[in-house]
Amino acid sequence: MGVTLFFTDLDGTFMVNHQLDDTLRQGTQRIRDQGGHVIFTTGRPSVSVWQMEPEVDWLIAANGALIYDDEGELVSEKRIDPADLADFIMTFGNSPLKIITRDGVYSNASWSQLAGSYLRRRGLPPLPLPSFLLPPFLRTVEPDVPAGMLMMLPAVKLELHDADPDKMARFLAAHPNLVNAPSFSGLSEITRKDATKGHAALEVLQYLGQDASQAAAFGDGINDVTLLEAIPDSYAPETGSAQAKEAAASILPMPDDYAVLHKMEDLIRG
């Protein structure tokens, strides 16, 4: 048998059009039947993953701040210091923010602001949208949360779109225990410095009593760099970010939507 542990990013890497479709579900089951494990390693909040009703082996969520075992039990939670959270909200509170916890996603923004931001990022006019027309991952957000309540949350990840680069650089310099590892340019995704995908993958290997030689990793985003560096047998899709492709050991051609799944099946056969 070849590689048996597969750490994979979801959006832009494993999933098709941000969906975990039947082909992917059946493929991950085939890998399990051969003794393998597909470990979703995502920047998404855990609530956004659970709503897809996946059969997970393990789950790394919120860029590594949350780790769940194969029973769906939380085994690691790296919370942001409350003082750092308060400084973040006071520094950037005039912009729409998202505060991610193990249980949910909370924002100071209204539904209309969340919808407008989502549409603008896709090059669409920011027309009013009722909440039921928002994509499922946005419907997990609780809007209009006052700043004082946001500061009391047990945050594991902080998100902000289109932050002033100099302002963000000054904030991070003043908070050296935090790191910004965005999925893509224009988004800030802040966690504790020890809460990255790479750190989390090594933690899972330790829990399982295995080493990186038995694993492969797949990722396309800036937030996947630590994962791709931590696992020697690492792959970035040819459609991925420049940073991911530079960090990966190999570039994976993407002749179809299921190239990552097919590569996993090749690797487990050895």
Side-chain angles (χ1 to χ4, degrees):
M1 182 180 290
V3 173
T4 57
L5 297 171
F6 301 96
F7 295 92
T8 183
D9 174 52
L10 292 178
D11 298 282
T13 302
F14 189 68
M15 295 200 302
V16 177
N17 296 322
H18 307 286
Q19 300 294 320
L20 192 61
D21 66 17
D22 288 343
T23 298
L24 294 172
R25 294 177 190 271
Q26 293 162 9
T28 55
Q29 186 57 54
R30 288 194 300 272
I31 291 171
R32 291 191 193 98
D33 291 343
Q34 298 176 74
H37 304 278
V38 179
I39 301 168
F40 294 159
T41 309
T42 180
R44 285 183 177 226
S46 51
V47 292
S48 177
V49 180
W50 297 136
Q51 73 179 179
M52 296 187 290
E53 300 183 352
E55 292 186 20
V56 299
D57 295 316
W58 282 61
L59 169 64
I60 295 170
N63 277 352
L66 299 169
I67 302 175
Y68 297 82
D69 67 13
D70 55 358
E71 299 293 330
E73 296 296 323
L74 184 69
V75 298
S76 178
E77 177 185 16
K78 294 182 171 63
R79 294 185 182 181
I80 291 170
D81 186 281
D84 292 338
L85 171 62
D87 284 349
F88 175 79
I89 293 169
M90 288 188 290
T91 302
F92 299 104
N94 289 331
S95 301
L97 309 175
K98 290 180 190 171
I99 310 299
I100 289 87
T101 74
R102 60 185 285 185
D103 298 316
V105 183
Y106 306 86
S107 179
N108 58 346
S110 64
W111 278 126
S112 62
Q113 288 175 307
L114 292 168
S117 177
Y118 171 78
L119 293 169
R120 280 193 298 274
R121 293 197 304 275
R122 281 148 185 79
L124 300 171
L127 301 172
L129 277 182
S131 60
F132 69 86
L133 288 180
L134 292 172
F137 75 90
L138 263 185
R139 295 202 296 271
T140 64
V141 180
E142 182 173 330
D144 297 312
V145 181
M149 293 184 65
L150 291 177
M151 291 182 187
M152 298 173 62
L153 292 170
V156 298
K157 182 168 173 261
L158 316 173
E159 288 189 7
L160 168 65
H161 285 278
D162 301 320
D164 178 85
D166 292 335
K167 190 174 183 180
M168 180 57 69
R170 290 193 298 271
F171 175 80
L172 293 172
H175 300 82
N177 55 328
L178 299 179
V179 64
N180 180 23
S183 307
F184 52 85
S185 297
L187 173 64
S188 298
E189 297 182 58
I190 297 169
T191 59
R192 276 173 31 183
K193 191 163 281 187
D194 62 344
T196 66
K197 290 187 178 186
H199 276 100
L202 295 178
E203 281 190 57
V204 171
L205 289 173
Q206 187 174 21
Y207 279 119
L208 295 175
Q210 302 198 49
D211 61 51
S213 67
Q214 298 165 290
F218 301 83
D220 74 310
I222 302 169
N223 61 340
D224 294 309
V225 167
T226 59
L227 173 65
L228 299 171
E229 292 176 339
I231 306 298
D233 192 8
S234 59
Y235 301 84
E238 63 182 354
T239 52
S241 67
Q243 295 91 331
K245 288 189 283 189
E246 183 177 351
S250 302
I251 306 301
L252 184 65
M254 298 292 285
D256 61 60
D257 290 335
Y258 303 102
V260 171
L261 175 62
H262 298 328
K263 184 64 178 179
M264 291 178 180
E265 294 185 293
D266 289 342
L267 289 170
I268 198 169
R269 286 192 290 265

